[in-house]
Structure formats: C-alpha cells, structure tokens
Amino acid sequence: MDKRRISFALLVLAVAAMPLAPVPELWITNLNYIGLYAITCLGLVLLTGVAGLTSFGQAAFVGLGAYTSAYLSTAYGLSPWLGLLVAMVVTVSVALVLASITLRMSGHYLPLATMMWGLSLYYAMSNMDFLGKYDGILNIPGLSLFGWRLGSGRSFYALIWLIALAAAVGVARLLDSRAGRAIRALNGGVTMAEAMGISTYRYKVKAFVIAAMLACTSGWLFAHYQRAVNPSSFSLSKGIDYLFMTVVGGVGSVWGAFSGAALTKILEDQLQVLLPRLFGGNGNYELIVFGIILVAILKYAPLGLWPYAERWLQRHLPPDRRHRDWGSATALETRSKPTPGELLLDVRSVRKQFGGLVAVNDVSFSIRAGEIIGLLGPNGAGKSTTFNLITGVLPLSSGDVMFRGAKVSGQPSREIARRGMSRTFQHVKMLPEMTVLENVALGGYTRSHAGVMQAVLRLDREEERRLFLEAERQLERIGMKDQIHELAGNLALGPARLMEIARALCTDPALLLLDEPAAGLRHKEKQALGQVLRQLKAEGMSILLVEHDMEFVMSLTDRIVVMEFGTKLIEGTPAEVQASPAVRAAYLGTEH
C-alpha cells in the first residue's frame, strides 16, 4: 500500500472516531454540514474544475433532491430510501432537459444560463402550494438503517460521512480512467478531444448529470437530517456559496471540495460571532469578508488552497509512481491495414469560403498507402485550413473528401478519427496536469470501451492496463519511453510535439496527419523529428505532412503539393518542386 492510501485510511479512521470522542455536539453538527456541502462541491469539482463548465445552479439540484423526498415521505408516507430513488429519477430527468438546452452554449452564456434555471427552480419551489410555498415542508421523517434510527446528529454523522467519502473515492476513481481522461480533455477545448474520437457533448452531459446526482444526494440527506426544508436553502445565493466553497478549497481537486466546505463553514460560524462585536449591531458582515477572501484567493491562489496543502503532503508523503503493472496485459485490437498502394485519401476540389473570402479554392490531391505527402506553402497559403477541412474540424463549402473509399466530408472529426485518420495540431494541444503516459493513453479512447460505472467500481483495470501498454509502446516507438511519468506541462516544445505524435499513433491510424510539426523547433529538434518520421515511413505509415519549411520535408516526402493564396500551385516530386520557378516565386517573391 502506498503512502497516499495509508494517509487516506488514517483520515477515514479519524472521521469514524470523531462521534465517539467527547467533543461538543456543535462540532458534530458543523461536521455534518461540512459533509453535506462537500458532497455537492464534489460535483462542482467534476463539472467546473475538471470539465471547465461553470455552474451557479447546483443549489437547485440540492433542492430537487430535498423537496422530492420530503414531499413523498410526508404526503404519501413513502420510505425515505425509496424517496431517494424517485428524487434521483426526477433530478436526472431535469438535468438531461437542462443539459440539452444549456450545454451547447459557451463563454459567459453558460454560467448565465445556470443562474437563470437556478432562479426558475427556486421560484417554482417557492410558489407551489403543495410544497408549502415559502414556508416549505415540516415534520419530515428521519432515516432508519437496518432498524437503527438515525435520530441524533451523531448517528446521522456516520451516514453523511460514509456517503461523502464514498463519493470522493468514486470521483477520484472516475478521473483516473478512460472516461475521466475524456472529461479532463473538455477543459482544454473540444478540438483535440473530438480529434481523438471523443463525443465532447456527451461527456459534458455526463459530468453535468453526475454533479446533479451528487447535489441531489446531499439534498436528500439535508431534508431528513433537518426534518424540514424551505426554499431559502436552495436559492441562487446558496448556489454561489457552493461555487465559492469549491473555488476556495481547490476547484480542480477532489479533496479541495472538503477543505473549501470546512473552511467556509468554520469561517461563517466564527465571523457571525466576531464581526458584530467588532462593528456593533447585527448585519451580514461575513458576506463582505467572504467577498474579500474570494478576491484575494483568485488573485494569489487561483487554484485554491488545497494545492498548497498537497505540496506539503508531497514533501512528507510523496506519491508513488504509477506501478508498471501492464507488462503482462494483452495488446489492444488493431484495425485492418491498407494494402501498399491502396488509395487512402482522395481530396476532390475542396473549397472553403468565409463570407466573401475564399480561403481554399478547389484543391485536389490524393494519398496512397505507404506514401508521405507534403502539403507546403508560405504562411497564409491555406494549408492548415485544408488540413482542417480534411479532418472535419471545418465544414466544406463544396467538394468531397474520400477516405478508404468512403465519403467523410460532412462527418464530425470524431467520426473521421474512428475511421482511422489521426492528427496533431499546429499549436500543441495537451493536458499539462496529466503525465505523458496518460496524455498518450487518451489516443486509445476509440480502441477501448469502459464507461463511468466501470471506472467508479474499478471494473476497468484490465482495459486500463492494455491502454497503458499501448501508450508505452508508442512512446518507445518515438524514443520517449524514459519520460512516461513526466508531467506533460513540463515538456519542452520538441518533446511535446513528439508526444502528440505518439498520442495520434495510439489511435492506430491508417493515415497520420501532422500539422506543422517542425514549427518553433530548433535545428537538433528538427533532426530528431525527421528521424522519427523516417522510422514511421519505414514501418509503412502513411503521412500527410503540412509544413511551410521546405528544407525540412524535402528528404522525407514522396510527393509535395504546394499551395499559394488558397490554390494548388504545383504537385510533384521533391526534385520537381525544388526546380519550379513558380515555387521560388511563391517563397521568395521573384522567379529569378
């Protein structure tokens, strides 16, 4: 057992021992609320911190869980445990409807939309007669577990913290999985994730629904712990409080949810006592202090407070490296390989207009299996736009793209990736907080199947071993095996570009597309990259290489397509292209 697991076991023992110790009842009450808040904040860690989707509406889902169970148990005498099941069904249904409306938004529209439906649900709960309007629902029955009545704060404490710690373990397991890597990829923009075959909208919905389910669970516990509910506990201001707790603790950290909830609850209690003494009279002075604290944290600790605690822990309890337990795993399945000379890619008169600007004008070329084709041209020639048209990042204005005999134009990039076309990016796209190995394993997404529940229940471990075996094999293939445990964000530009190539190779492509892989590299880094591409060519890999550095690709390519001002200038062998006066004019501005 590594040191982190030992520390977690000690934490569980400390939490379990708390109600047995002779501590004041107020401590137990505060710990209960900290546990309830942390469950909701865990959903925000996943949704906002990891997936990058800011939500102010989590309190509304807490209210759905609380009110659904409270109403059913008081009006119909339904068991609170069945009430939890019904509340989950209601919450997931509402979350799916709201997700379909709001998650296609981006920028500031998404958080504004979460505010609006948060307010809508709050006022709906506040104005329904059968829910007691602003008075809410009273005399909610408590919980019983195996005949043991959870009547006091101490007896409820065990259930709250059992669920809170189980939720934390579940979220941590989820993030360390195929589905978790897909959710992490949402925060860096959807282009890279879609290029790896990931349906980014589907994973946004999954993160949204999981966060709603955690909030619902917290609300159910809250209703039967408090034995009364009213709308004020689920207002927009409470939704802001949950987000505040998560940001203060560490919006990207599982344990930040607990530290943020604890700090906020303790500060709230202490400030409500101290501030009136300092300023005299009664008032919500703590809100002013909380605002100042939030501004200070956003400025000086934008990742929250937990990362600082984590650095201290790493000095005293350094985490063990991921054990290399995948050596005996079986290899992932591979797709059928094209026969040498088979027509892989056929680009037919593709055209792209942005309003009145024609960026790509009826460009045609083809690639056969085993070839390396260079797509060259000076800056602004339309190379990357053509590249994005081929890979589905941009829609065509006209023309067709055929891949292995099937039309792929009009298909989203994730579908094109699933067919065996993989790419890198002009500007390296990676997840800097993950290791090199995990970044490359993301490329194996379409070759694996485990979902959220398998990850939470740890039923995905064999598939994970197979993914890491494949990622290690691809890193060894490009000469980066010694850096598999390095954080990707620590890599220099040259190794980062090689890592992107390894990630693309992990998809088992029939055609590899490289978008200016030599851009920004020093001479020796270009030499290393060239050697990798020669090795891939020797292994039979087909490559489309988009570049503006003619010298770099001359010794690598079989044929070169040169573009200028969005049109195809010439196509031929490297020697023919070098000898072309038109190419010299395009690059040097003169034919002489």
Side-chain angles (χ1 to χ4, degrees), residues 16 24 66 148 221 314 340 402 428 516 545:
W148 179 34
L221 286 166
Q314 286 175 353
M402 308 293 292
V428 175
E516 300 199 20
L545 181 63

Side-chain angles (χ1 to χ4, degrees), residues 190-210:
V190 301
T191 304
M192 183 272 285
E194 291 276 335
M196 294 298 105
I198 296 168
S199 173
T200 53
Y201 174 71
R202 188 175 71 176
Y203 275 100
K204 286 179 181 180
V205 171
K206 286 183 178 182
F208 191 81
V209 169
I210 293 169

Side-chain angles (χ1 to χ4, degrees), residues 23 145 161 192 213 216 224 332 338 344 371 430 474 541:
V23 297
L145 185 62
W161 278 91
M192 183 272 285
M213 292 172 68
C216 171
H224 294 284
L332 293 173
L344 273 185
E371 285 187 317
M430 61 181 176
Q474 299 302 341
M541 179 61 66

Side-chain angles (χ1 to χ4, degrees), residues 256-590:
F258 289 84
S259 58
L263 181 64
T264 303
K265 179 59 179 172
I266 293 168
L267 273 178
E268 181 182 29
D269 286 350
Q270 295 302 313
L271 291 174
Q272 284 177 347
V273 175
L274 294 175
L275 293 178
R277 292 180 183 175
L278 289 175
F279 297 106
N282 295 318
N284 294 325
Y285 298 116
E286 68 275 8
L287 296 179
I288 301 172
V289 175
F290 279 147
I292 295 171
I293 291 172
L294 181 59
V295 171
I297 288 175
L298 290 175
K299 179 173 178 59
Y300 297 106
L303 298 179
L305 300 179
W306 180 253
Y308 292 96
E310 199 167 41
R311 289 174 200 165
W312 181 87
L313 286 172
Q314 286 175 353
R315 287 198 296 269
H316 296 85
L317 295 172
D320 292 343
R321 281 186 170 183
R322 182 184 292 276
H323 297 295
R324 191 190 178 282
D325 60 352
W326 54 83
S328 58
T330 57
L332 293 173
E333 290 80 8
T334 58
R335 72 178 79 249
S336 61
K337 302 299 180 186
T339 57
E342 174 189 337
L343 181 61
L344 273 185
L345 182 70
D346 190 13
V347 180
R348 303 175 179 175
S349 302
V350 297
R351 181 182 180 89
K352 182 61 182 177
Q353 286 185 239
F354 298 99
L357 173 67
V358 179
V360 177
N361 188 14
D362 298 333
V363 171
S364 301
F365 62 91
S366 62
I367 301 176
R368 295 189 175 274
E371 285 187 317
I372 296 185
I373 303 300
L375 185 60
L376 303 187
N379 290 330
K383 307 180 301 298
S384 290
T385 303
T386 303
F387 194 90
N388 287 332
L389 294 174
I390 294 170
T391 55
V393 174
L394 293 174
L396 290 165
S397 298
S398 63
D400 282 315
V401 177
M402 308 293 292
F403 181 63
R404 301 194 75 174
K407 182 178 176 180
V408 296
S409 45
Q411 295 288 324
S413 56
R414 63 177 178 275
E415 293 300 329
I416 295 175
R418 290 177 181 275
R419 292 173 182 263
M421 193 188 301
S422 193
R423 64 167 293 176
T424 64
F425 296 87
Q426 183 177 358
H427 304 289
V428 175
K429 296 184 184 297
M430 61 181 176
L431 304 178
E433 75 284 355
M434 292 192 341
T435 65
V436 169
L437 182 74
E438 291 170 319
N439 269 271
V440 175
L442 186 65
Y445 176 84
T446 58
R447 304 170 67 187
S448 49
H449 309 284
V452 170
M453 285 308 299
Q454 290 99 318
V456 171
L457 298 174
R458 270 309 194 242
L459 301 177
D460 63 339
R461 292 302 91 185
E462 179 57 32
E463 186 177 86
E464 282 289 283
R465 285 190 284 271
R466 298 176 71 194
L467 279 169
F468 287 133
L469 177 66
E470 179 67 14
E472 182 185 51
R473 188 175 76 84
Q474 299 302 341
L475 285 165
E476 184 175 14
R477 191 177 182 185
I478 63 166
M480 286 187 67
K481 185 177 179 180
D482 293 339
Q483 294 175 280
I484 63 173
H485 295 299
E486 184 72 49
L487 283 179
N490 295 340
L491 295 178
L493 182 58
R497 290 198 181 280
L498 289 176
M499 182 190 72
E500 263 206 325
I501 294 174
R503 185 180 65 203
L505 291 171
C506 203
T507 67
D508 188 30
L511 176 63
L512 181 64
L513 299 95
L514 307 179
D515 191 358
E516 300 199 20
L521 299 188
R522 296 186 293 269
H523 179 65
K524 287 188 176 181
E525 291 176 326
K526 286 185 180 181
Q527 288 181 322
L529 175 61
Q531 184 58 39
V532 168
L533 298 184
R534 290 185 188 93
Q535 176 188 330
L536 293 176
K537 178 181 178 180
E539 294 172 3
M541 179 61 66
S542 307
I543 301 174
L544 173 61
L545 181 63
V546 175
E547 262 297 340
H548 67 271
D549 187 335
M550 185 180 293
E551 181 182 354
F552 173 72
V553 298
M554 281 299 164
S555 62
L556 297 172
T557 53
D558 299 295
R559 286 182 294 116
I560 295 174
V561 176
V562 182
M563 293 183 64
E564 183 185 26
F565 302 123
T567 61
K568 178 173 146 181
L569 185 63
I570 187 174
E571 179 177 353
T573 65
E576 291 170 340
V577 168
Q578 280 183 310
S580 169
V583 173
R584 289 199 298 271
Y587 271 85
L588 303 176
T590 176

Side-chain angles (χ1 to χ4, degrees), residues 219-284:
W220 172 76
L221 286 166
F222 177 85
H224 294 284
Y225 174 56
Q226 288 252 120
R227 310 287 293 274
V229 293
N230 65 71
S232 63
S233 300
F234 317 115
S235 63
L236 178 61
S237 64
K238 198 63 181 177
I240 295 172
D241 286 346
Y242 285 127
L243 191 59
F244 173 85
M245 294 176 201
T246 311
V247 171
V248 166
V251 72
S253 309
V254 168
W255 299 111
F258 289 84
S259 58
L263 181 64
T264 303
K265 179 59 179 172
I266 293 168
L267 273 178
E268 181 182 29
D269 286 350
Q270 295 302 313
L271 291 174
Q272 284 177 347
V273 175
L274 294 175
L275 293 178
R277 292 180 183 175
L278 289 175
F279 297 106
N282 295 318
N284 294 325

